[in-house]
Amino acid sequence: MSEAALALDIRDLRAGYDSYDVLHGMSLHVANGERIGLFGPNGHGKTTLLNAISKVIRPNGGSVSFMGEPIAAVSARGIVERGLIHVPQANRLFPDMEIMETLELAAFTRRARAERKTNLDYVLKLFPRLAERRRQQCKTLSGGERQMLSIGVGLMCAPRMLMLDEPTLGLSPKLKEELAAAIAGIGTRGMPMLIVEQDIAFVLSLVDRMYFVDHGEIAREIHRGSDVDHQEIMDMYFGERAAS
Amino acid sequence: MTLDALSTVLVSGIVLASVYALIASGLSLVWTTLGIFNFAHGALMTLAAYLAWTVSDAAGLGLWLGAGIAIAVAGVVAAGVLIERLIVRPFYDHRDILLITVMTTLAAMIFIEKGSQLIWGARLKQLRPVVPGQVNFLGTTISAQEALIIALAPLLLGLLFLFLRNSRIGRGIRAVGQNPNAAKLIGIDVSRLFIITFALSAALAGLTGILLGSVRMVTPAFGAEPLVKALIIVIFGGLGSLGGTIVAAYLLGLLEAFLIFFIGIYWAPSMIFVLLILILLVRPQGLLGKVVR
Ligand SMILES: Nc1ncnc2c1ncn2[C@@H]1O[C@H](COP(=O)(O)OP(=O)(O)OP(=O)(O)O)[C@@H](O)[C@H]1O
Ligand SMILES: [Mg+2]
């Protein structure tokens, strides 16, 4: 596979908080147009990985390239300008801002501003509920609406690749399905995606490949349609407990 | 209370209120965006008044007042940016940034006060008014300068509101104040917007200093009392609400004028505190404040 065929290529990434590392040399890649799932127990570094890529935190080592270009030393703003967009876990967004204001603001970089109108139309079509509530403040949104707005904000940034951190956290099965359909819709446009998700059934339906994150490392790579079945994944999850 | 007296008190209250609104809104803007209090805010007012005086007064360079104003505003904007870069920015990631910057900005305040005393001396100075003469307002004669203050305050604050509501940078500033990480993730350069916020706030302080510098006497401690009032107003108006700050500024200005009229200048300041504390007991979050920042 040539370099440029990879949307995201991460090698030996180390990152953490204060003085301790959470990621101990993580390597993974996302090909162009590929949708990747990332799952693993709570607190094992999935969010930390996304934070280190988007520069919410500064990585302590390793290399990251996006569309063939090294970005480990690029600022948070530079990452967004290049179109690598991180939709964070449980984002409470901007509490006092209205939905429309938030979406318009999200087209902040020059490139995103140029695509603002198209992207706004797309977001409002994808999530009609946001269009119905355009003057409502973020802080009064329901959990589901907030997730939709959060993804909508990501789309307004003119993404070339999306990283979604637990987009269905705490949502009802019905809402989950709705969001899954929306995310699948985004994927059909050929957008590479990295989706962190605890709900394995949910993520399996969305992705081409999955990584299992364990103690800050990639412990396993699972190809869609490979012989790994549901039970085996469950064992991975609860492996420690099952063994004891 | 006669109608004449009422009008006099009301008008002096509005002048005070306008000054308070201008000075407190700058303080409030920095609080809502960065979550810190800039205790050097009043000193920036002083610095601007002295700079304008130096450029435009006959005892200084004797240039046109407009030049004095321009240089003074540019000067305090530079000072505001320096404060942000040198003594606020290094502590952004610190857990106790609020307390640390109380200390560092207090230090800046003292530094500017003492520096002013060294450069300009303790003797009282007064700026030329931007507009000379007197006008009649609500049946009371006031200086045209005071009328200018009354007119400019809502104008400048209105512009500030429009900027924050509708412009890209203004919305960015609000976003950074409400959720810096989410702002970062849409490509906002948080640190750049912090500088712009400080610059704006300093410009407001500077303009207030210049406007007030021909109504009151300028001394090295010229900005100290307005700073204390502005702090009270920001807290009373509700932390995190610029609208609340402005409402509180007008309430406090009027209240102060009436208290001075009824109980005299000696007890009025203490009574204001008593009243504010009573109100905060009933509404701990302030007039229009949120429960959390
Ligand atoms: N801001 C922070 N400061 C210090 N430690 C943190 C911070 N954020 C996360 N951690 C720690 O880093 C480790 C990894 O957390 P991370 O959020 O990456 O886990 P996660 O895999 O996303 O978990 P979850 O599935 O619960 O979201 C945890 O031990 C967590 O306590
Ligand atoms: Mg997480």
Side-chain angles (χ1 to χ4, degrees), chain A residues 12 22 26 42 69 104 121 133 143 164 189 197 202:
Chain A
D12 225 15
V22 173
M26 205 182 249
N42 294 118
E69 186 197 355
E104 283 170 12
D121 287 346
R133 299 168 179 271
L164 307 177
R189 304 165 109 206
E197 191 50 71
F202 172 87

Side-chain angles (χ1 to χ4, degrees), chain A residues 54-56 76-77 80 86 88 91-98 101 104-106 108-109 113 153 157, chain B residues 164-165 168-169 171-172 174-176 178-189 192-193 240 290:
Chain A
S54 62
K55 299 293 157 53
V56 171
R77 176 182 168 194
V80 176
H86 174 186
N91 191 2
R92 57 183 188 89
L93 290 159
F94 311 113
D96 294 339
M97 281 199 193
E98 294 162 6
E101 218 181 351
E104 283 170 12
L105 173 72
F108 196 82
T109 63
R113 256 177 294 153
V153 160
C157 295
Chain B
L164 290 173
R165 265 215 86 70
R168 173 168 165 270
I169 298 295
R171 283 178 173 181
R174 282 164 54 220
V176 165
Q178 291 172 34
N179 191 344
N181 267 341
K184 232 181 183 179
L185 292 178
I186 59 175
I188 293 179
D189 186 338
R192 193 172 70 106
L193 292 203
K290 307 160 183 75

Side-chain angles (χ1 to χ4, degrees), chain A residues 42-43 45-48 89 165-166 196 198:
Chain A
N42 294 118
K46 304 179 296 293
T47 297
T48 305
Q89 183 173 351
D165 197 347
E166 307 212 21
V196 176
Q198 300 279 10

Side-chain angles (χ1 to χ4, degrees), chain B residues 18 39 243 248 265:
Chain B
S18 307
F39 279 83
I265 195 133

